[in-house]
Amino acid sequence: MCGIIGYTGVNDAKKVIISGLHALEYRGYDSSGIAFNENNKIKIIKSKGKVSLLEDKLKNNNSISNVGIGHTRWATHGEPNEINAHPHKVGHTTVVHNGIIENYIDLKNKLKENYQFISETDTEVACALIDYCYSQKKDKLKALQEAKKEIIGSYALAIIFDDEPNVIYTIRKDSPLILAKKNNDCFLASDIAAILSFTNKYYILNPDEIAKIGNGKLIFYNDNLKEITKDINEYTGTINDVMKNGYKHFMLKEIFDEPTVYNNIINKYVPNYDVKDLEKNFGNFSKYEKITIIGCGSAYHAGMAAKSLFEEYANIEVNVEMASEYRYKKVIPNSKELIILISQSGETADTLEALRKAKSNQMDTLGIINVLSSSIARESDKVIYCLAGCEIAVATTKAYLAQLLILSLLSILMAYQRKEIDNNQANNYLKDLKLLLKNTQLILDNKDTYEKIAKKVYQDKEMFFIGRNIDYALCMEASLKMKEISYIHSEAYPAGELKHGTISLIEDNTLVTGIITKQNIAAKTISNLKETKARGSKILLVTTNSLYQDYQNDKFYQEIIIVDDINQFFVPLTIITTMQFLSYYVALYKGEDIDQPRNLAKSVTVE
Ligand code: F6R
């Protein structure tokens, strides 16, 4: 949600900030703005809409500036317009902000005697608070320390004071922020994507710290306002991770990254295709009698799919919760329950709070996280990284599949540790990882098949995805992918449940996609598909080669997608790659903004 960047150094700050904002745009894109030091005065330029519109506005500004802050917004308080866009200036202070100030109404009431507010935002209030604290304390570090005490909520704030226009101060709590220095250039940013063209080495600001950049220096202070040194982190990817590299969209590039991601996971966690590798890298889970998996959106869907695998193969009870629900429900502490938090960004506010709730109930927590050193990764008792690299498209593809692969591997490990399968059986399953790579590559090579189907259905107004058990969980993800980027209303439904009401929505030509990966429920789902066909639907069947052989004489479908056979742990992954392609091409034919769908943003750091 919202991206912030700050720069001080020897280059043109406007250029550095605009290029950083382009890289951060996936975090929010309804308006953007920049503040920079122009002849020792802070100049602010803002624009509604995408960063390219801000860039156009800056074209006529030829001033030289080496210090600036920038922001790309996903509106929380107030509609997207130039007044609500950041940076905000109040008194002698200018800020950009990512997060939510929860007590901004109280603060506004306290500050309204001294300040006039022009926007609807919480950020303007935080800016006034900092300005006020500085006017009282006459010391910037003490002012920021004081402001931190008053603010309730989440924030990463970059601040410029009028009387020190070459320096940027920064504080944060529960919103991500990194800092970096290369020669005389210093940066702060919401994430590494913004600065990768300069450096891959960065520092993480802790909530009890304050940092400042300027005059070639990056200085950290602890909560006693003493200067401290910090450990440096290194991002192992390259600038290519945040470039399209010839692909039309990041989403397409990221689908094509999937075999690389699988290889990363195999090489790191199970290089010898041996369950003992997994045990060494993931740990021992034999003490647990129950698992609760928590996530939002696609991460929740990964949990839903994994539930079937854990229950069926590891014979353990699994509960899957949406993080936004879990955080407000009664939790019964259980020392034999493992709480698994799934998150690509590692910053999703609801998932982070669900983690904190589980920990406050003394439960063991395991994060399955993509972004290294993110808040959920740092606060979980244990972390397994997804190794999917930077994911830029708002709709997740490779990161979702990385989550699902890690969960599948974990279910094999737990089946082994709970003595449901022996060493040989576990290793037989793991051997299929080679087949997973081969089958996925075949799907990528056959992308035209999915494009052709998309061409036939992209004008549809409504779609259904139906399946049973794990296939239903796959339908949930396929349906979300379709609706979020193509804006076609789509519903995932358990195949057997449709007839209890929802089937009334089926009309002539309604597309019903049936996902079938399991022999024991194939006939049942096929009957349900036929029930919709009898009411006029057209059918897309998505299934495996061997199930197709079983039913090939019964041509009840108009379109078919067949994936090659592989064991039950990995077949969901190949099915989802085909569904990602389908939604990608539907959105492409519709001419939608695939990487930045309306109303959305990646990394939802607000409740
Ligand atoms: C859908 C999508 C979202 C995220 C959800 C959780 O394509 O990307 O549903 O999966 O917002 O985000 P993370 O995984 O960052 O916690």
Side-chain angles (χ1 to χ4, degrees):
M1 291 308 48
C2 302
I4 68 169
I5 178 166
Y7 169 77
T8 67
V10 294
N11 291 292
D12 178 355
K14 286 173 289 170
K15 282 205 180 120
V16 175
I17 287 167
I18 289 294
S19 101
L21 288 180
H22 277 301
L24 292 174
E25 197 167 19
Y26 71 101
R27 301 177 66 90
Y29 34 83
D30 57 44
S31 53
S32 60
I34 178 170
F36 51 95
N37 176 358
E38 192 178 71
N39 302 323
N40 286 330
K41 294 235 163 9
I42 303 303
K43 170 127 186 152
I44 297 178
I45 298 180
K46 309 188 201 187
S47 174
K48 189 179 166 183
K50 299 238 179 169
V51 173
S52 53
L53 298 172
L54 177 69
E55 194 173 5
D56 288 346
K57 274 195 169 178
L58 278 165
K59 277 197 180 123
N60 299 328
N61 184 297
N62 297 317
S63 64
I64 302 291
S65 175
N66 304 112
V67 177
I69 53 180
H71 187 269
T72 177
R73 181 169 185 249
W74 185 84
T76 55
H77 295 84
E79 64 172 280
N81 58 29
E82 278 191 26
I83 294 179
N84 290 331
H86 302 209
H88 288 280
K89 178 159 192 178
V90 183
H92 301 286
T93 307
T94 305
V95 309
V96 289
H97 167 219
N98 171 27
I100 291 226
I101 311 295
E102 286 167 16
N103 59 337
Y104 83 106
I105 302 268
D106 292 346
L107 292 173
K108 200 171 191 172
N109 286 334
K110 275 198 217 164
L111 291 160
K112 70 177 178 216
E113 267 182 33
N114 300 298
Y115 295 98
Q116 270 200 332
F117 294 96
I118 55 168
S119 80
E120 299 160 85
T121 67
D122 53 339
T123 303
E124 191 185 15
V125 179
C127 185
L129 175 69
I130 293 169
D131 191 74
Y132 180 75
C133 292
Y134 182 41
S135 72
Q136 301 300 300
K137 300 270 173 193
K138 316 274 184 239
D139 176 290
K140 294 178 185 104
L141 294 176
K142 286 187 184 152
L144 292 175
Q145 199 178 36
E146 186 61 25
K148 276 161 62 130
K149 283 190 207 144
E150 299 256 348
I151 296 173
I152 299 174
S154 61
Y155 53 85
L157 281 158
I159 307 132
I160 304 184
F161 295 96
D162 276 355
D163 63 3
E164 202 180 4
N166 280 329
V167 172
I168 306 169
Y169 288 78
T170 182
I171 51 175
R172 84 160 191 111
K173 180 177 161 280
D174 293 345
S175 292
L177 190 83
I178 58 162
L179 291 115
K181 176 173 173 348
K182 182 153 189 219
N183 304 325
N184 285 322
D185 291 324
C186 297
F187 308 85
L188 63 86
S190 296
D191 68 51
I192 189 80
I195 59 169
L196 258 186
S197 53
F198 289 89
T199 179
N200 64 348
K201 297 196 174 58
Y202 64 95
Y203 299 90
I204 293 172
L205 187 70
N206 289 331
D208 55 352
E209 296 165 349
I210 298 174
K212 74 175 190 184
I213 57 173
N215 307 316
K217 290 192 197 133
L218 160 56
I219 306 175
F220 292 97
Y221 301 91
N222 66 12
D223 56 355
N224 295 320
L225 307 184
K226 296 271 167 307
E227 270 188 51
I228 50 167
T229 52
K230 283 174 69 81
D231 292 339
I232 200 154
N233 301 277
E234 188 166 336
Y235 175 76
T236 48
T238 68
I239 185 74
N240 281 339
D241 297 359
V242 292
M243 311 284 276
K244 283 191 198 146
N245 297 338
Y247 289 96
K248 197 169 165 67
H249 294 98
F250 278 109
M251 181 174 174
L252 190 63
K253 175 199 170 210
E254 287 161 4
I255 296 174
F256 274 91
D257 279 347
E258 285 165 6
T260 309
V261 175
Y262 295 158
N263 265 320
N264 293 346
I265 291 173
I266 296 167
N267 294 339
K268 173 96 181 172
Y269 299 126
V270 54
N272 304 304
Y273 304 91
D274 190 329
V275 71
K276 294 275 166 34
D277 293 341
L278 280 183
E279 186 150 54
K280 187 170 122 233
N281 292 311
F282 286 2
N284 194 314
F285 298 90
S286 44
K287 80 170 213 199
Y288 299 109
E289 286 169 2
K290 185 178 172 193
I291 299 173
T292 291
I293 305 178
I294 303 172
C296 302
S298 295
Y300 168 77
H301 297 161
M304 287 293 288
K307 172 183 165 75
S308 296
L309 298 175
F310 281 113
E311 287 180 346
E312 190 164 337
Y313 296 95
N315 197 22
I316 186 166
E317 186 190 341
V318 180
N319 182 26
V320 189
E321 300 270 3
M322 290 172 191
S324 53
E325 290 293 310
Y326 182 84
R327 53 185 294 195
Y328 295 112
K329 67 173 258 185
K330 181 172 165 54
V331 166
I332 301 163
N334 177 353
S335 62
K336 298 240 160 92
E337 180 177 343
L338 174 66
I339 307 289
I340 302 181
L341 292 304
I342 306 180
S343 176
Q344 187 285 128
S345 61
E347 301 291 348
T348 301
D350 285 323
T351 315
L352 181 59
E353 286 308 320
L355 163 68
R356 289 175 178 163
K357 179 166 182 159
K359 286 187 79 173
S360 70
N361 280 292
Q362 280 78 48
M363 317 263 250
D364 290 355
T365 55
L366 166 69
I368 296 182
I369 310 295
N370 192 37
V371 176
L372 303 188
S373 309
S374 52
S375 300
I376 303 175
R378 281 181 288 127
E379 292 187 31
S380 297
D381 297 322
K382 234 173 121 44
V383 193
I384 300 175
Y385 281 113
C386 293
L387 313 177
C390 270
E391 193 178 62
I392 305 288
V394 165
T396 179
T397 52
K398 61 176 180 173
Y400 165 85
L401 287 176
Q403 293 163 352
L404 191 51
L405 179 55
I406 302 275
L407 287 162
S408 309
L409 295 175
L410 195 58
S411 67
I412 295 176
L413 175 64
M414 286 182 77
Y416 166 71
Q417 290 175 337
R418 292 167 63 79
K419 303 200 177 6
E420 297 292 330
I421 55 174
D422 65 19
N423 199 87
N424 279 341
Q425 284 167 303
N427 290 354
N428 267 337
Y429 289 133
L430 293 174
K431 265 198 217 115
D432 261 8
L433 284 166
K434 291 181 190 155
L435 203 54
L436 172 65
L437 289 168
K438 185 170 156 252
N439 292 3
T440 304
Q441 193 54 52
L442 272 175
I443 291 168
L444 301 183
D445 295 344
N446 281 330
K447 65 180 181 17
D448 295 355
T449 312
Y450 318 111
E451 178 171 358
K452 278 187 196 127
I453 299 175
K455 196 172 179 184
K456 292 184 191 160
V457 301
Y458 78 96
Q459 283 165 321
D460 289 9
K461 297 279 170 279
E462 188 164 42
M463 293 184 183
F464 286 85
F465 291 79
I466 66 170
R468 288 169 181 252
N469 299 354
I470 195 164
D471 296 338
Y472 168 53
L474 304 182
C475 287
M476 292 167 89
E477 179 57 12
S479 169
L480 177 63
K481 215 84 308 166
M482 183 61 78
K483 70 180 114 180
E484 72 180 318
I485 60 169
S486 73
Y487 315 141
I488 294 175
H489 177 253
S490 147
E491 255 188 72
Y493 233 75
E497 186 63 16
L498 208 61
K499 57 187 172 291
H500 296 289
T502 307
I503 200 165
S504 66
L505 292 172
I506 304 291
E507 292 176 357
D508 269 357
N509 267 325
T510 307
L511 180 68
V512 179
T513 297
I515 297 183
I516 306 179
T517 64
K518 294 189 72 176
Q519 171 84 57
N520 64 331
I521 44 176
K524 303 288 172 197
T525 304
I526 288 173
S527 296
N528 300 134
L529 286 168
K530 286 181 180 172
E531 285 156 13
T532 69
K533 188 177 172 167
R535 283 147 186 93
S537 77
K538 59 186 177 201
I539 291 176
L540 164 61
L541 177 64
V542 184
T543 191
T544 62
N545 202 11
S546 58
L547 289 173
Y548 166 69
Q549 301 302 331
D550 290 352
Y551 294 95
Q552 62 174 319
N553 296 326
D554 185 6
K555 201 171 173 300
F556 61 92
Y557 47 83
Q558 278 76 12
E559 302 295 336
I560 185 158
I561 291 175
I562 302 170
V563 298
D564 281 340
D565 287 300
I566 191 167
N567 72 45
Q568 288 296 319
F569 291 96
F570 306 134
V571 74
L573 301 151
T574 56
I575 294 277
I576 288 295
T577 302
T578 69
M579 294 291 90
Q580 292 170 349
F581 269 130
L582 184 68
S583 40
Y584 173 80
Y585 284 117
V586 166
L588 190 70
Y589 276 112
K590 288 193 73 188
E592 304 300 356
D593 189 349
I594 294 182
D595 286 337
Q596 295 176 348
R598 69 182 179 212
N599 303 340
L600 297 177
K602 206 159 181 81
S603 183
V604 186
T605 50
V606 295
E607 188 171 343

